[in-house]
């Protein structure tokens, strides 16, 4: 059967735990996630943080909810990373559309805020394993992974919870260990696309992020492993 991937924002939203009463969206920008969360979950409060002083204004003009009761549950704060949050204020934080290093550094800068979360959701612009390694170092483990596909681009989106990372597979640890463990039929297509991307990055990126070389060395083996449970193509 052909694989149908979710769209990016749908995948991110689906990974926000249903029992979270307060969700922080770090780098909310257009704010579509904030609006979806308060519109679809009547009890949820959503805190949007963005370093840009223009984010709040453009959100209010474009993508804010029309319903005043829903809008009243959105709180917008200007600032960097987790700094505008108070410890224990939210159970879940989402970091979407930010670079891995930026996200990792935000976590390292605010350990007291991170300690209050039950779950964090990540959709970095590009995945080279830097954040995954950082999570392991602060005692968090990746527990769910999803692949999204939109406008001919694949995205790896995942959640982490406090706990020890048990990822041991020598090849899949560089890519998507949970999807490999689950024998996800879409993993092969994500990796196939990633192989082309890596070939470009390794050739043309002057300052290669750490992790890229390991990914290049292991991508063929990962593809061969995931081919064993690949779906019959995917819906584009
Ligand atoms: C590409 S947009 C992502 C929008 C949305 N989260 C998404 O995934 O579709 C990145 C946004 O994050 C903000 N941003 C980047 N780094 C940040 C940081 N460390 N703290 C707060 N905001 C940040 C930028 O100002 C920008 O509005």
């Amino acid at each position: 059967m052909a694989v149908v991937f979710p769209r990016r924002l749908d995948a991110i939203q689906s990974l926000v735990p249903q029992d979270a009463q307060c969700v922080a969206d770090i780098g909310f920008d257009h704010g579509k996630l904030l609006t979806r969360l308060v519109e679809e979950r009547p009890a949820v409060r959503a805190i949007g943080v963005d370093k840009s002083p223009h984010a709040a204004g453009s959100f209010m003009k474009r993508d804010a909810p029309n319903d005043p009761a829903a809008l009243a549950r959105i709180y917008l704060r200007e600032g960097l990373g987790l700094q505008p949050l108070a410890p224990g204020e939210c159970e879940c934080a989402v970091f979407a559309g930010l670079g891995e290093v930026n996200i990792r550094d935000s976590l390292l800068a605010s350990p007291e805020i991170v300690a209050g979360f039950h779950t964090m959701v990540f959709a970095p612009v590009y995945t080279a394993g830097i954040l995954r390694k950082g999570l392991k170092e602060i005692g968090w483990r990746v527990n769910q992974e999803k692949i999204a596909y939109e406008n001919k681009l694949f995205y790896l989106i995942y959640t982490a919870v406090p706990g020890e990372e048990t990822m041991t597979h020598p090849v899949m640890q560089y890519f998507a260990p949970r999807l490999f463990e689950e024998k996800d039929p879409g993993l092969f297509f994500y990796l196939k696309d990633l192989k082309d991307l890596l070939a470009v990055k390794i050739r043309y990126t002057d300052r290669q992020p750490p992790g890229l070389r390991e990914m290049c060395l292991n991508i063929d083996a990962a593809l061969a492993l995931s081919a064993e449970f690949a779906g019959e193509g995917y819906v584009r």
Side-chain angles (χ1 to χ4, degrees):
M1 225 204 301
V3 179
V4 182
F5 292 103
R7 290 168 73 82
R8 180 176 169 277
L9 208 52
D10 292 338
I12 295 170
Q13 188 184 351
S14 73
L15 287 173
V16 174
Q18 287 295 333
D19 60 359
Q21 296 293 301
C22 178
V23 180
D25 182 7
I26 312 302
F28 65 90
D29 191 27
H30 47 70
K32 287 181 178 148
L33 181 67
L34 298 169
T35 294
R36 281 179 175 216
L37 287 171
V38 296
E39 284 184 344
E40 292 176 26
R41 304 186 190 189
V44 157
R45 285 178 299 119
I47 301 179
V49 173
D50 205 292
K51 67 179 183 181
S52 165
H54 307 295
S58 65
F59 167 68
M60 290 307 292
K61 264 192 233 138
R62 289 188 326 219
D63 293 304
N66 293 323
D67 173 8
L71 182 59
R73 285 183 284 115
I74 294 182
Y75 306 85
L76 302 180
R77 299 178 189 169
E78 184 185 327
L80 207 56
L82 299 171
Q83 286 169 11
L85 300 177
E89 194 176 15
C90 290
E91 300 98 333
C92 174
V94 178
F95 294 81
L98 279 63
E100 285 195 297
V101 172
N102 188 353
I103 301 173
R104 181 203 58 195
D105 291 351
S106 296
L107 302 181
L108 291 177
S110 303
E112 72 293 357
I113 308 293
V114 172
F117 297 140
H118 299 176
T119 306
M120 292 192 278
V121 181
F122 301 104
V125 270
Y126 173 73
T127 295
I130 299 164
L131 177 58
R132 207 181 278 276
K133 193 160 168 275
L135 286 168
K136 190 173 158 66
E137 282 164 12
I138 61 166
W140 283 62
R141 67 184 173 88
V142 173
N143 63 331
Q144 277 189 85
E145 293 166 329
K146 272 193 185 184
I147 298 165
Y149 181 73
E150 188 168 334
N151 296 334
K152 300 187 180 162
L153 294 174
F154 284 98
Y155 300 90
L156 183 65
I157 299 165
Y158 50 97
T159 58
V161 292
E164 196 188 337
E165 177 58 79
T166 53
M167 155 177 82
T168 50
H169 197 281
V171 169
M172 287 312 298
Q173 62 173 321
Y174 301 108
F175 304 100
R178 302 293 97 85
L179 294 176
F180 174 71
E181 288 157 8
E182 290 162 16
K183 298 194 186 312
D184 186 288
L187 180 59
F188 174 78
F189 305 107
Y190 163 72
L191 292 172
K192 205 157 171 281
D193 183 80
L194 182 63
K195 182 175 174 175
D196 296 339
L197 256 174
L198 286 173
V200 175
K201 281 208 179 272
I202 203 88
R203 214 173 301 147
Y204 298 114
T205 311
D206 289 343
R207 289 178 55 225
Q208 288 162 3
L212 199 68
R213 197 176 131 73
E214 285 79 3
M215 289 174 88
C216 288
L217 289 173
N218 286 283
I219 187 77
D220 283 328
L223 267 170
L225 287 166
S226 62
E228 289 171 19
F229 46 84
E232 294 167 14
Y234 62 96
V235 176
R236 286 161 203 262

